[in-house]
Amino acid sequence: MKGFERRLEGLVEGVFARVFRSGLRPIELGRRLVREMDLNRSIGVRGRPLAPNHFDIRVSQTDHDRFAEIGDSLTRELCEAAREHGREEGYSFMGPISVDVVVDPKKRTGDFAIDARMREGIGGVGAGSLLLPNGDRYMLGADPVVFGRMPECDITLNDSNVSRRHAEIRATGDTFTLVDLGSTNGTKINGVRVAERELIDGDELSFGTIRLIFQAS
């Protein structure tokens, strides 16, 4: 069984077990979603497989009402499953992964369909996010993201080894670049000190003792 299925079984099914004792289950949505990623992939300009990043899940009114109570958590976990599958398969994306669950009056209870398509990020920026130490995800966009100890920074890092304005991430075409802003103790990617470098999926960013993970999805 692939990693995305284990994730949905362990996280989604565990969290929502009481809600989904019968009828349409999240694991079914997850399996169909990643199948649509595989069926609709193409080749990007850099020669990497390019997969859909936006999914409309069409369900009956009854199923939509049942999902409403945990809708945000459900779509978040489905997005995580898509990101995990994308990393396993080496897919790239035109923009952030997103999932919408919508009502289709033609669907009966238990039936659903998924429309998968490629959606460009705002301003033509590709997909990118940071996994923070507390498990939260910070989505990157066209605007620079500044890291440092100052409260005015986009991401404030409470570490005495971090400079007031330590580094920033800039959108560069469909990718992102980490730039050190002349920090005292330096900025590292995967343990190596850098002044400026384009980020790739899975990079570990180090600011003092704080570690963040860049994910290209």
Side-chain angles (χ1 to χ4, degrees):
M1 187 179 295
K2 290 186 177 181
F4 83 90
E5 291 181 321
R6 290 194 298 270
R7 177 176 178 82
L8 281 178
E9 286 184 338
L11 293 179
V12 179
E13 296 291 272
V15 172
F16 306 137
R18 287 180 296 178
V19 179
F20 298 104
R21 286 178 178 170
S22 62
L24 186 59
R25 301 176 68 83
I27 191 67
E28 300 174 55
L29 303 180
R31 286 172 175 158
R32 179 79 64 82
L33 186 148
V34 298
R35 192 193 330 166
E36 291 298 324
M37 292 173 68
D38 294 339
L39 291 174
N40 291 282
R41 68 183 185 270
S42 62
I43 301 298
V45 295
R46 298 192 177 191
R48 290 187 60 192
L50 184 65
N53 60 300
H54 179 76
F55 306 90
D56 285 319
I57 302 178
R58 295 185 283 114
V59 301
S60 69
Q61 182 67 64
T62 299
D63 285 323
H64 189 270
D65 292 343
R66 292 172 65 233
F67 290 156
E69 181 182 349
I70 44 77
D72 290 343
S73 297
L74 175 62
T75 54
R76 182 170 60 250
E77 296 301 342
L78 288 171
C79 286
E80 287 296 333
R83 292 187 186 98
E84 182 173 325
H85 185 66
R87 287 192 293 273
E88 290 176 350
E89 299 297 326
Y91 292 158
S92 58
F93 303 96
M94 294 181 64
I97 292 175
S98 58
V99 174
D100 289 331
V101 180
V102 299
V103 175
D104 184 341
K106 296 180 180 179
K107 293 298 178 186
R108 295 179 298 177
T109 301
D111 292 337
F112 71 98
I114 297 181
D115 301 322
R117 63 181 184 273
M118 299 175 189
R119 177 185 286 181
E120 193 174 64
I122 297 174
V125 176
S129 62
L130 296 173
L131 192 60
L132 305 182
N134 64 359
D136 289 344
R137 183 178 298 277
Y138 187 98
M139 303 304 299
L140 300 173
D143 296 330
V145 176
V146 178
F147 306 83
R149 289 203 326 272
M150 296 177 62
E152 295 79 8
C153 292
D154 299 292
I155 297 181
T156 302
L157 305 174
N158 294 315
D159 185 326
S160 60
N161 295 306
V162 173
S163 298
R164 290 164 60 82
R165 285 175 54 88
H166 195 103
E168 72 177 11
I169 291 180
R170 302 169 183 169
T172 49
D174 61 351
T175 61
F176 295 90
T177 298
L178 178 65
V179 180
D180 184 81
L181 299 178
S183 65
T184 301
N185 294 309
T187 298
K188 295 180 180 180
I189 298 179
N190 302 324
V192 178
R193 187 163 178 166
V194 299
E196 180 175 336
R197 208 204 78 178
E198 182 178 300
L199 296 172
I200 61 175
D201 187 57
D203 276 342
E204 181 186 76
L205 318 183
S206 302
F207 312 97
T209 61
I210 297 175
R211 307 286 185 269
L212 310 178
I213 303 297
F214 172 77
Q215 294 182 342
S217 56

